[in-house]
């Protein structure tokens, strides 16, 4: 004797529901581990920088989000979240620029001091030109409005590696959070569908009895 | 993908907020309203609830992350939220590990197999 189609559909949906719960649990575990890693690294950074150096006091007065979530809701109430990081493409070249410019400008300033000290010697006119050019480049970079955008800089220029590791962990957590939100929404939707199907089935069964 | 990108809001202890802000979710809008709340010892439940409700009404927020122990304080408000956007995600905190049995979504899913569903 075969099962009726309503029961079969319900069984299939239940299996799908269980699969979704299993994936959710896996992602949850990963999320928890990543958050724990993040806290651990924040604590390590606090230990090396000082107790008050990694706290809410260091938050910038101007903040711009680097991550956006694109939420698309369907008619049946299911929502899909997609994470998009604004700074990913822009940050890397910026970072490489700062690494390049910090070196030469420091050298330029040093040379300037040397030039003042040994003014009477009158040497290297060309190096003077270089010095003049380099600070110009530097001022251009200082004016760029993107400086406050990397939250790592709120805590100083030379932050410990642990803080960078914490940032990396939390970046991953954010992506995972969007995935989990999508999954949670799908679970709620599956649950609602199953409830309505179950009610329909019971209705049909009671009608057959009568 | 429809519309503009939304924000991720956080209600949590200092380290949780610091971590997520490091991740780049922080925003202070034109009215200087942040998308996060650092819950400290002296933060009242009313303040937490009001912030949570204000996040729910803001249409630029897509996901609300909240420490589970804080979610426990305002459980009625979280349970009352039935919309899929913004999604509410309960996360662990330093002193309180994540407990799936307390999670709103999983409790709803568990309810699937209760006697009430068969009525």
């Amino acid at each position: 004797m075969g099962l009726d189609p309503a029961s079969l559909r319900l069984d299939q949906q239940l299996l799908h529901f269980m699969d979704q719960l299993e994936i959710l649990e896996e992602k949850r575990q990963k999320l928890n581990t990543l958050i724990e890693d993040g806290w651990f690294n924040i604590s390590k950074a606090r230990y090396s920088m000082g107790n008050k150096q990694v706290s809410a006091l260091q938050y910038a007065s101007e903040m711009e989000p680097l991550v956006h979530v694109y939420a698309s809701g369907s008619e049946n109430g299911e929502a899909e979240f997609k994470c998009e990081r604004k700074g990913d493409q822009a940050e890397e070249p910026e970072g490489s620029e700062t690494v390049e410019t910090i070196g030469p400008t420091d050298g330029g300033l040093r040379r300037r001091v040397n030039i003042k000290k040994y003014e009477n010697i009158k040497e290297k006119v060309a190096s003077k030109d270089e010095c003049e050019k380099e600070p110009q480049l530097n001022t251009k970079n200082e004016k760029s409005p993107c400086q406050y955008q990397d939250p790592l800089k709120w805590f100083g220029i030379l932050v410990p590696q642990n803080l960078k590791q914490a940032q990396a962990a939390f970046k991953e957590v954010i992506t995972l959070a969007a995935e989990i939100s999508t999954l949670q929404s799908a679970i709620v939707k599956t649950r609602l569908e199953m409830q309505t199907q179950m009610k329909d089935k019971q209705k049909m069964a009671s009608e057959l009895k009568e | 993908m429809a519309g503009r990108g939304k924000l991720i809001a956080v209600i949590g202890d200092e380290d949780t907020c610091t971590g997520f802000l490091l991740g780049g979710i922080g925003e202070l809008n034109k009215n200087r309203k942040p998308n996060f709340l650092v819950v400290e010892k002296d933060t009242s439940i009313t303040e937490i609830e009001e912030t949570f409700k204000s996040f729910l009404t803001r249409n630029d927020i897509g996901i609300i992350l909240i420490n589970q122990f804080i979610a426990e304080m305002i459980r009625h408000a979280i349970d009352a939220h039935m919309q899929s956007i913004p999604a509410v995600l309960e996360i662990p905190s330093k002193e309180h590990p994540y407990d799936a049995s307390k999670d709103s979504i999983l409790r709803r899913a568990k309810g699937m197999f209760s006697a009430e569903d068969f009525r």
Side-chain angles (χ1 to χ4, degrees):
Chain A
M1 202 179 91
L3 278 170
D4 61 304
S7 300
L8 275 172
R9 224 181 306 133
L10 208 57
D11 284 354
Q12 275 175 349
Q13 215 148 24
L14 184 68
L15 288 173
H16 177 59
F17 184 69
M18 292 297 185
D19 285 341
Q20 281 179 324
L21 284 177
E22 207 176 316
I23 298 167
L24 180 73
E25 206 187 318
E26 271 173 31
K27 289 200 173 183
R28 272 282 183 190
Q29 263 179 359
K30 201 178 165 193
L31 179 110
N32 294 352
T33 320
L34 278 169
I35 292 181
E36 276 170 25
D37 281 351
W39 287 328
F40 194 51
N41 281 313
I42 286 178
S43 299
K44 276 183 181 173
R46 189 174 284 136
Y47 181 76
S48 52
M49 289 170 81
N51 195 26
K52 299 277 174 191
Q53 297 306 308
V54 187
S55 69
L57 296 170
Q58 275 76 42
Y59 296 171
S61 54
E62 298 286 330
M63 283 186 203
E64 261 191 38
L66 301 174
V67 191
H68 280 104
V69 168
Y70 287 92
S72 54
S74 62
E75 283 174 7
N76 54 12
E78 196 181 340
E80 198 184 337
F81 298 92
K82 273 189 181 174
C83 209
E84 202 177 271
R85 188 162 285 276
K86 201 203 294 181
D88 264 357
Q89 296 90 2
E91 243 178 60
E92 278 175 27
E94 263 173 41
S96 57
E97 256 177 47
T98 47
V99 170
E100 278 172 14
T101 49
I102 283 168
T105 46
D106 281 353
L109 285 170
R110 274 182 207 141
R111 273 179 225 155
R112 231 183 212 178
V113 173
N114 287 340
I115 287 160
K116 276 181 185 175
K117 277 182 183 176
Y118 306 105
E119 222 174 313
N120 299 330
I121 301 170
K122 293 178 183 175
E123 60 175 21
K124 291 180 182 175
V125 182
S127 70
K128 246 188 189 181
D129 293 335
E130 276 176 25
C131 294
E132 277 168 14
K133 277 176 192 171
E134 280 162 359
Q136 274 176 358
L137 284 170
N138 195 28
T139 48
K140 270 180 196 171
N141 285 335
E142 274 173 357
K143 277 175 189 174
S144 72
C146 303
Q147 236 185 3
Y148 62 87
Q149 277 198 345
D150 187 6
L152 211 58
K153 287 175 186 165
W154 303 343
F155 303 94
I157 299 162
L158 290 168
V159 291
Q161 195 63 30
N162 299 113
L163 209 60
K164 288 178 187 168
Q165 282 166 358
Q167 188 184 40
F170 275 99
K171 275 181 181 175
E172 218 172 313
V173 167
I174 290 162
T175 318
L176 210 55
E179 285 173 28
I180 291 175
S181 301
T182 310
L183 204 57
Q184 278 191 354
S185 174
I187 285 171
V188 171
K189 188 209 133 203
T190 315
R191 176 186 163 268
L192 283 170
E193 276 178 6
M194 280 177 74
Q195 267 182 332
T196 47
Q197 278 186 20
M198 222 182 261
K199 275 175 189 166
D200 288 347
K201 192 192 159 190
Q202 278 160 6
K203 219 183 247 180
M204 273 169 65
S206 61
E207 278 169 11
L208 278 172
K209 271 183 190 173
E210 282 168 9
Chain B
M1 261 184 258
R4 249 183 79 236
K6 289 178 185 281
L7 300 169
I8 300 175
V10 198
I11 300 176
D13 55 34
E14 195 180 44
D15 278 8
T16 306
C17 286
T18 305
F20 280 104
L21 293 188
L22 265 176
I25 64 155
E27 193 219 42
L28 278 169
N29 63 14
K30 285 169 192 169
N31 306 318
R32 311 280 305 156
K33 264 195 145 188
N35 64 337
F36 58 90
L37 174 74
V38 181
V39 177
E40 281 157 350
K41 279 176 192 168
D42 54 347
T43 311
S44 66
I45 295 175
T46 326
E47 196 185 334
I48 297 167
E49 199 176 331
E50 273 172 17
T51 312
F52 177 73
K53 283 180 178 169
S54 74
F55 286 164
L56 289 182
T57 52
R58 275 175 65 170
N59 55 8
D60 63 336
I61 287 176
I63 300 173
I64 302 171
L65 302 168
I66 184 165
N67 279 150
Q68 200 172 43
F69 82 99
I70 300 166
E72 280 293 294
M73 296 177 196
I74 53 162
R75 182 60 67 195
H76 57 282
I78 292 174
D79 285 340
H81 173 66
M82 303 300 275
Q83 272 89 40
S84 51
I85 302 170
V88 179
L89 204 69
E90 291 176 32
I91 52 172
S93 56
K94 261 177 148 180
E95 278 104 29
H96 309 81
Y98 176 74
D99 184 356
S101 64
K102 288 177 184 168
D103 195 300
S104 278
I105 299 289
L106 288 173
R107 272 197 299 125
R108 277 181 215 169
K110 209 176 158 188
M112 185 71 227
F113 307 102
S114 68
E116 268 180 36
D117 290 292
F118 291 93
R119 274 177 198 158

